[in-house]
Amino acid sequence: MTCYNPTIGAFAGNTDQDAHLLYTLSGIQILAIYDNLSLIDVDKVVSYIRGLQKPDGSFAGDEWGEIDTRFSYCALLSLSILNRLDAVDVDAAVAFVLSCQNFDGGFGCIPGAESHAGQVFCCVGALALADALRRIDAELLGWWLCERQLPCGGFNGRPDKLEDVCYSWWVLASLAMLGKADWVDARKLREFILACQDEEDGGIADRPGDMADIFHTFFGFAGLSLMEEEGFEKIDPAFALAESVVARIGGG
């Protein structure tokens, strides 16, 4: 809460930094996990997010105006958690996301930008939250996503790039939302994620032999959860939260 600006109703990445939609979503997710959403002024948060939507349906990340499909997802997910999705123009938001889809079925950060698995997740997630997945060619996008799996079992984010544990979430969650998670080799993906563990200090790295960090540890766990690994609570692919949390807040 030290990163929360009560005047505008938004979170920053750290104390005394500028507020941003990315961190506002993270703050809302964390409060939802701990059932502490009452700590924020929901109306102000909603007003902040609504003020970032542009006439074409896109969302800026902050007052400086950068446009990116990541922010479309952050806005729609934040409002979905708060049960205030009707506060923005959802139809326009959907239209902007669809304008960012490319001939290969993937999505970029803005119209005409290169397809990238991280952006695909954000766009598929935004469309799922808006109940608009039927608007895309799931077969074409499904093939683009499953082609991200490399012989080692891990996924890359775009053609001719290295595998990275974080795409275990971006790619597999996207496929799960499309109903096509079985299009990839889950056994090999599991083996890749586990091979990225630091057996001495704990944690998961981006690929075997690299230093573990909390970012890749989360995405490794999230990927294992999607594959229903024993000991992991099932995660909702659109909300990136445990299904029990989503049920409690009335989402899904």
Side-chain angles (χ1 to χ4, degrees):
M1 290 304 296
T2 63
C3 301
Y4 177 64
N5 184 331
T7 302
I8 62 174
F11 287 86
N14 204 340
T15 303
D16 297 327
Q17 292 183 356
D18 290 340
H20 195 286
L21 192 48
L22 287 171
Y23 304 118
T24 297
L25 170 59
S26 295
I28 290 171
Q29 287 178 306
I30 293 166
L31 293 179
I33 290 169
Y34 289 101
D35 199 16
N36 278 321
L37 286 171
S38 60
L39 293 175
I40 58 177
D41 185 329
V42 172
D43 288 337
K44 281 191 175 180
V45 175
V46 170
S47 178
Y48 171 78
I49 296 172
R50 183 170 52 231
L52 293 173
Q53 189 172 29
K54 303 302 178 183
D56 65 355
S58 65
F59 285 86
D62 58 17
E63 62 181 309
W64 306 111
E66 180 188 6
I67 302 298
D68 191 307
T69 47
R70 291 178 300 162
F71 309 147
S72 297
Y73 172 69
C74 289
L76 297 187
L77 179 50
S78 295
L79 294 171
S80 293
I81 294 173
L82 298 174
N83 291 302
R84 296 289 297 276
L85 192 57
D86 59 349
V88 296
D89 189 336
V90 175
D91 290 340
V94 167
F96 175 75
V97 169
L98 292 173
S99 74
C100 297
Q101 188 169 27
N102 295 315
F103 71 92
D104 56 11
F107 291 83
C109 57
I110 57 174
E114 179 184 12
S115 296
H116 187 284
Q119 304 296 150
V120 168
F121 166 79
C122 291
C123 292
V124 171
L127 294 174
L129 294 167
D131 193 24
L133 281 178
R134 63 187 180 280
R135 302 280 300 276
I136 60 175
D137 186 337
E139 298 288 312
L140 180 62
L141 177 53
W143 277 113
W144 188 89
L145 287 164
C146 72
E147 287 173 347
R148 305 279 61 76
Q149 189 165 34
L150 301 177
C152 67
F155 296 132
N156 62 16
R158 49 202 167 111
D160 298 321
K161 296 296 181 180
L162 293 175
E163 66 281 358
D164 189 314
V165 159
C166 69
Y167 297 115
S168 303
W169 170 255
W170 306 125
V171 174
L172 194 57
S174 298
L175 286 168
M177 286 185 278
L178 295 172
K180 302 186 182 304
D182 60 347
W183 280 22
V184 294
D185 190 329
R187 180 186 60 81
K188 292 192 69 174
L189 176 59
R190 178 184 181 277
E191 291 174 353
F192 170 74
I193 294 172
L194 296 179
C196 295
Q197 292 182 100
D198 186 321
E199 296 184 356
E200 294 183 1
D201 296 329
I204 296 176
D206 57 349
R207 57 186 63 90
D210 287 353
M211 184 173 292
D213 59 71
I214 195 67
F215 180 86
H216 291 92
T217 298
F218 168 73
F219 288 122
F221 285 177
L224 291 170
S225 172
L226 283 174
M227 291 184 283
E228 301 184 356
E229 179 76 6
E230 184 177 355
F232 286 87
E233 185 170 353
K234 195 169 182 182
I235 194 169
D236 185 291
F239 280 74
L241 291 168
E243 288 187 347
S244 61
V245 176
V246 177
R248 171 160 48 78
I249 62 178

